[in-house]
Amino acid sequence: MKNIVAVLAEAGAEPAHITSMTWYFIDKQDYLTSLKAIGAAYREVIGRHYPAMTAMQVAALIEDRAKIEIEAMAVVPE
């Protein structure tokens, strides 16, 4: 999430400009068990902006050690 905020900042945007997020995770049960901690981390980094979100379990991610990958779409102001 910190990477998302950093990329937004480079483009002159902020978390409020995020329009949607897709979360890919490899272990549904681990994700569900960690929701409270994930929510706290989300609010700490992104704030209280809640764009449209999709979450899905996948068989694997490209980075072997990764447990979750987040894709964010934003509309950057001119």
Side-chain angles (χ1 to χ4, degrees), residues 51-73:
M53 293 187 196
T54 301
M56 65 182 77
Q57 181 175 346
V58 294
L61 297 168
I62 296 300
E63 295 292 330
D64 290 332
R65 297 181 335 179
K67 294 184 176 186
I68 189 167
E69 183 172 314
I70 303 169
E71 175 183 61
M73 301 293 284

Side-chain angles (χ1 to χ4, degrees), residues 25-47:
F25 51 87
I26 57 172
D27 185 329
K28 179 181 176 181
Q29 191 56 49
D30 186 35
Y31 174 79
L32 293 173
T33 301
S34 302
L35 275 179
K36 188 173 182 178
I38 291 170
Y42 179 94
R43 288 185 300 279
E44 180 181 324
V45 177
I46 303 293

Side-chain angles (χ1 to χ4, degrees), residues 1-23:
M1 288 181 274
K2 289 179 182 178
N3 288 343
I4 292 169
V5 173
V7 170
L8 287 169
E10 285 292 321
E14 56 190 45
H17 295 109
I18 298 171
T19 58
S20 65
M21 299 177 90
T22 303
W23 298 55

